[in-house]
């Protein structure tokens, strides 16, 4: 490794920014905002070389790049390393994170007037946690970043949130912590099953665990991720958290933090426990579909715009999960794209809700109506984002949703796909209905008659997102291409393991534990010796 | 003429104890002869004394040396624990001055008492004879009885002293009775001799004398480490005792209890792992759960920390149950981390409290986070560490304790442990909720930190974070300390 430790630089730039902010006077809001903004912009710029340097087709298929691997803790039986790297899957999530952060910070310029210093520090620490989560290749390191993410978000919801903020913050924290802690137990058992060494996931992928172990560990990991996603019926913390969080918090929560859950499935739960993953596919698909339909129906009856968007998040993530578990190229690609799309569209939706909330200090749909006449620019942007969220062709949402449905239709999840399709229709119903009630009709409420249209700063916040909505909708090729090798590797890995398991299963009872030499097997299955190597 | 065989005496082994005792006695004299009400200089002298002792303790790191015919040993295990005791004592001394002056009970005896208690703890960790362990324990306990009731003007402090004395005397009785029975069954009080006897006569395991002795010893130690169901004294004593003493008691003596408990169980009864593994399993679950559940409903911060300290003894017992080197090393690491994070938390409590310990409830902390952002942030770090959130010492400690249990096959114990951690989050978060998310109901003017407390906070916060981010060196030392 003779290149710059780009990933470390990326993680610690926001941390340095947060430390810098400690020394700024708490009353000079302008300086605080500018520094935070500058730090996140720098982080974003620093993340761009990842795209240009990531040599997608050909050279390093599906492997990790920008690797940094330094021994960290070595005591007793454990060896943790500071092991970073990205592949086509995490690359775009890192970019999404660094991209969303400046936008979120820009959106807080007028939204947050109190305790600005603490707010900015929280935002920057959050960025550290999120980037770290996506780039860690050491499970222990991953866990630390995963947990670190909770703390600033807890404070953001609890300090700057709405009326029920304390309830929402504590619920958010404890809900997610319970899942993570069980994952910690599974993580430690996994480590002992691997027979020591280090916590590198690349090594853990090669383990051939017996089905029962896989089942329990999968359940523990999947629970932690399912809470984060959130999947039905573990989603109840999300509407609370979203509704109470300040705008930037909601944007980050929706755009990035929920992706940590789905990312967890792709990176850990599925490749580490392929058999169990296959075994639980029907369950996960069922929960995803219930999530899609149920959340859409609940979204339909919401009176609060933000709550509606929160429930739509649950539905969208149902699509992501369905796509991932289709476990074919279209499905996984669709799921991955939907992760990015949801980040862009729902992030934008929360910003839009934030704009009208800042103006009117209410989010009740019934308080609005006819805003389109008063705020034409806002109306246009809102409409584009709405279409993107519904998945209208030409916008980003369409490509992802289409691939997800295509993939799951072609896999064993055909019937789930058919039911999920109705979710697309439902999403059109609740989004358009909401849009109509807020933007069209008569401008009755006198308070709404004096509303100002978006100012330059707000337009500047929205433009990059709108650009992405169209760009990803029309030309998602570069992203799909760079993801493809990693996705192929994931699918191949998960499927090969499955075949090995199926073949080896009948023979297993006759063999004592640790017995590797199965006569005849190596000839028929050349892939076997490598994976059954005893360490 | 018959010659009396002189036992091998090696005073160098007990040098740190002798040193610290001398310093304590000198302090007593100094206190008498130097007039004036300002006792702060005694605190500084104690710190110097503790530092000198620490240097002499560290000097003993290396191969084990036995002395007094196998009654006392200087090994890495004892050395590591002695450092924990000295750290606890030092941090407690740093936070004493302000509190004692404020409560107007600033008698100079406080510091020598803390030092004598530390000597007792050091003997407990170094003792390889039941009698030496007992002597150390008594020296420690008698000092603590006085310390708990140190605020003579306060009814609560008096109650704490009396309660601790009565229940402490009970537990001492259990322990001594257990030691006597074990002596009856095995013919020795020396740990090595007991171990040899048990190995030579496996039938002793079914000797009621021996079994009851072992159980009584375990009961006695459980009292000392405040394991449920022997924890009843803890909340009242912890709440009633002067806060710096509480901080000291929750870290040092608890670690000393674990040191002696570990040594007796692992050395004297190694053949009976399976039997007392079961016992500890139940003890661990009870202790964690009882501590956490009752802590959930506490409004008084000190009392909440008292119950949480019961829960923390439970986590340490999880590592104990594992009965492997990882578990023992985990306890060592955890006790060190706990000394920093818990005494640190108590230091903030000292700063917050007014005379008579008003301001002691979580509700009184409303708005603290915005009035005193730095102190609140520091307290939050301690609380998150106590809750076991990364990247803090508390997380690494729990990670090692639980992983030791998993390695020994106590998977369910680890799961109960993490669920307990999740429950504990609620009451630690509650403090933060009040600090950051509620506005003050009435205006408090919280005091600023005195230099001594600032130093204590700085050391504690630094250690809590350093042990969380780069724990490698200390973990390796802990690992070496348990390779007997």
């Amino acid at each position: 490794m003779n290149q710059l430790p780009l990933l470390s630089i990326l993680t610690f730039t926001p941390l340095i920014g947060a430390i810098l902010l400690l020394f700024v006077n708490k009353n000079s809001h302008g300086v605080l905002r500018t520094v935070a903004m500058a730090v996140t912009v720098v982080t974003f710029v620093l993340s761009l070389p990842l795209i240009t340097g990531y040599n997608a087709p050909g050279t390093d298929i599906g492997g990790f790049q920008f690797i940094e691997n330094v021994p960290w803790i070595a005591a007793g039986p454990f060896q943790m390393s500071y092991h970073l790297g990205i592949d086509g899957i995490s690359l775009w999530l890192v970019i999404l994170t660094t991209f969303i952060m400046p936008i979120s910070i820009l959106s807080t310029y007028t939204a947050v007037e109190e305790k600005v210093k603490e707010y900015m520090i929280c935002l920057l620490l959050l960025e550290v946690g999120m980037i770290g989560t996506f780039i860690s290749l050491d499970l222990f390191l991953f866990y630390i970043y995963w947990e670190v993410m909770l703390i600033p978000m807890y404070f953001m919801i609890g300090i700057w949130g709405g009326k029920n903020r304390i309830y929402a913050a504590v619920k958010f924290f404890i809900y997610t912590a319970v899942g993570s802690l069980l994952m910690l137990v599974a993580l430690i058992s996994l480590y002992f099953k691997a027979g020591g060494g280090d916590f590198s996931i690349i090594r853990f992928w090669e383990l051939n665990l017996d089905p029962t172990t896989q089942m329990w560990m999968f359940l523990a990991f999947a629970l932690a991720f399912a809470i984060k996603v959130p999947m039905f019926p573990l989603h109840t913390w999300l509407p609370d958290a979203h509704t109470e969080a300040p705008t930037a918090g909601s944007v980050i929560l929706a755009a990035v933090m929920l992706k940590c859950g789905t990312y967890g499935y792709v990176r850990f739960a599925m490749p580490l426990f392929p058999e169990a993953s296959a075994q639980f596919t029907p369950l996960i698909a069922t929960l995803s579909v219930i999530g899609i339909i149920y959340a859409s129906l609940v979204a339909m009856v919401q009176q609060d715009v933000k709550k509606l968007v929160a429930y739509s998040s649950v539905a969208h993530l149902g699509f992501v999960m369905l796509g991932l578990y289709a476990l074919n190229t279209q499905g996984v690609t669709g799921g991955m794209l939907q992760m990015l799309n949801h980040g862009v569209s729902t992030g934008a939706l929360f910003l839009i809700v934030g704009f009208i909330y800042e103006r009117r200090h209410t989010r009740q749909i019934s308080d609005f109506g006819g805003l389109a006449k008063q705020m034409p620019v806002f109306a246009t942007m809102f409409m584009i984002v709405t279409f993107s969220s519904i998945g209208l062709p030409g916008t980003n949402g369409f490509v992802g949703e289409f691939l997800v449905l295509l993939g799951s239709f072609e896999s064993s999840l055909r019937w789930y796909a058919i039911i999920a399709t109705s979710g697309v229709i439902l999403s059109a119903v609740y989004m358009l209905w909401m849009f109509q009630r807020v933007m069209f009709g008569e401008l009755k409420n006198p308070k709404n008659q004096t509303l100002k249209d978006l100012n330059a700063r707000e337009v500047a916040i929205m433009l990059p997102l709108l650009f992405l909505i169209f760009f990803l909708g029309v030309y998602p090729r570069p992203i799909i291409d760079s993801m493809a090798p990693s996705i192929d590797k994931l699918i191949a890995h998960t499927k090969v393991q499955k075949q090995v398991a199926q073949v080896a299963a009948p023979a297993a009872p006759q063999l004592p534990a640790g017995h590797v030499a199965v006569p005849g097997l190596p000839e028929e299955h050349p892939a076997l010796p490598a994976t059954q190597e005893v360490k | 003429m018959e010659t009396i065989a002189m036992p091998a005496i090696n005073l160098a082994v007990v040098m740190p104890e002798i040193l610290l005792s001398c310093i304590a006695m000198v302090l007593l004299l100094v206190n008498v002869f130097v007039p004036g009400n300002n006792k702060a200089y005694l605190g500084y002298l104690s710190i110097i004394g503790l530092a000198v002792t620490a240097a002499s303790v560290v000097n003993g790191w290396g191969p084990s040396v036995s002395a007094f015919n196998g009654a006392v040993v200087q090994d890495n295990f004892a050395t590591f624990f002695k450092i924990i005791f000295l750290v606890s004592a030092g941090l407690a001394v740093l936070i004493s001055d302000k509190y004692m002056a404020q409560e107007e009970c600033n008698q100079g005896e406080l510091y020598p008492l803390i030092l004598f208690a530390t000597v007792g703890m050091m003997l407990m960790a170094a003792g390889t004879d039941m009698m030496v362990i007992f002597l150390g324990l008594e020296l420690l306990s008698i000092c603590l009885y006085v310390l708990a009731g140190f605020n003579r003007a306060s009814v609560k402090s008096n109650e704490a002293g009396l309660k601790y004395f009565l229940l402490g005397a009970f537990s001492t009785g259990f322990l001594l009775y257990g030691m006597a029975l074990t002596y009856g069954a095995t013919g020795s009080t020396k740990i090595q001799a007991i171990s040899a006897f048990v190995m030579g006569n496996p039938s002793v395991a079914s000797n009621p004398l021996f079994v009851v002795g072992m159980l009584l010893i375990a009961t006695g130690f459980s009292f000392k480490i405040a394991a449920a169901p022997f924890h009843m004294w803890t909340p009242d004593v912890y709440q009633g005792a002067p806060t710096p003493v509480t901080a000291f008691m929750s870290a040092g003596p608890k670690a000393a209890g674990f040191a002696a408990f570990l040594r007796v169980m692992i050395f004297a009864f190694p053949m009976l792992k399976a039997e007392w593994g079961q016992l500890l399993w139940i003890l661990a679950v009870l202790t964690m759960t009882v501590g956490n559940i009752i802590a959930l409903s506490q409004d008084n911060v000190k009392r909440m920390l008292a119950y949480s300290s019961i829960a923390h003894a439970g986590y340490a017992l999880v590592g104990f149950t594992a009965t492997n080197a990882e578990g023992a090393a985990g306890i060592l690491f955890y006790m060190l981390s706990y000394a920093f994070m818990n005494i640190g938390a108590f230091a903030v409590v000292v700063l917050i409290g007014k005379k008579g310990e008003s301001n002691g409830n979580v509700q009184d902390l409303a708005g603290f986070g915005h009035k005193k952002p730095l102190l609140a942030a520091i307290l939050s770090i301690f609380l998150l560490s106590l809750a076991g959130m990364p990247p803090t010492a508390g997380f690494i400690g729990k990670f090692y304790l639980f992983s030791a249990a998993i390695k020994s096959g106590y998977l369910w114990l680890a799961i109960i442990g993490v669920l307990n951690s999740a429950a504990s989050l609620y009451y630690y978060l509650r403090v933060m909720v009040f600090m950051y998310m509620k506005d003050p109901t009435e205006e408090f003017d919280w005091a600023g930190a005195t230099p001594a407390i600032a130093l204590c906070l700085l050391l504690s916060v630094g250690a809590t974070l350093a042990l969380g981010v780069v724990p490698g060196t200390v973990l390796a030392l802990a690992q070496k300390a348990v390779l007997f």
Side-chain angles (χ1 to χ4, degrees), chain B residues 167-216:
Chain B
L167 286 165
F170 266 119
S171 72
T172 308
F174 278 122
L175 194 65
L176 199 55
Y177 198 27
M179 285 172 175
L181 290 179
T182 318
Y183 174 74
T186 60
S188 176
T189 55
K190 286 209 171 50
I191 286 175
Q192 218 165 7
I194 295 174
S195 166
F197 184 86
V198 174
M199 269 188 233
N201 308 282
S203 63
V204 78
S206 52
N207 181 351
L209 214 59
F210 181 75
V211 173
V212 173
M214 197 174 85
L215 280 176
L216 286 174

Side-chain angles (χ1 to χ4, degrees), chain B residues 80-201:
Chain B
F80 198 101
F81 265 113
K82 284 176 189 176
I83 293 296
I84 300 178
F85 307 148
L86 293 167
V87 163
S88 317
L91 294 178
V93 166
L94 282 176
I95 61 176
S96 292
D97 182 45
K98 189 226 165 211
Y99 181 91
M100 293 302 171
Q102 173 186 302
E103 299 291 329
E104 290 166 9
C105 58
N106 202 3
Q107 282 87 21
E109 292 81 15
L110 178 81
Y111 302 103
L113 278 172
I114 290 181
L115 298 195
F116 279 126
T118 311
V119 174
M121 294 191 279
M122 286 160 75
L123 278 177
M124 279 172 79
T128 43
D129 186 312
M130 295 277 200
M131 287 303 104
V132 174
I133 293 177
F134 182 76
L135 279 178
L137 181 72
E138 277 305 273
L139 179 53
L140 166 69
S141 298
I142 291 167
C143 295
L144 285 182
Y145 301 149
V146 181
L147 284 172
F150 200 74
N151 188 357
R152 283 179 301 188
S154 153
V155 179
K156 279 203 158 173
S157 182
N158 282 325
E159 185 197 332
L162 187 62
K163 217 169 215 172
Y164 192 34
F165 174 63
L166 288 176
L167 286 165
F170 266 119
S171 72
T172 308
F174 278 122
L175 194 65
L176 199 55
Y177 198 27
M179 285 172 175
L181 290 179
T182 318
Y183 174 74
T186 60
S188 176
T189 55
K190 286 209 171 50
I191 286 175
Q192 218 165 7
I194 295 174
S195 166
F197 184 86
V198 174
M199 269 188 233
N201 308 282

Side-chain angles (χ1 to χ4, degrees), chain A residues 90-123:
Chain A
S90 40
L91 167 68
W92 294 105
L93 291 167
V94 173
I95 304 287
L96 178 70
T97 311
T98 57
F99 169 77
I100 285 288
M101 285 309 293
I103 293 179
S104 316
I105 289 191
L106 201 57
S107 80
T108 65
Y109 269 44
T110 50
V112 173
E113 290 289 348
E114 273 179 50
K115 298 154 197 160
V116 176
K117 181 172 171 177
E118 289 89 342
Y119 195 70
M120 294 299 168
I121 292 176
C122 277
L123 278 169

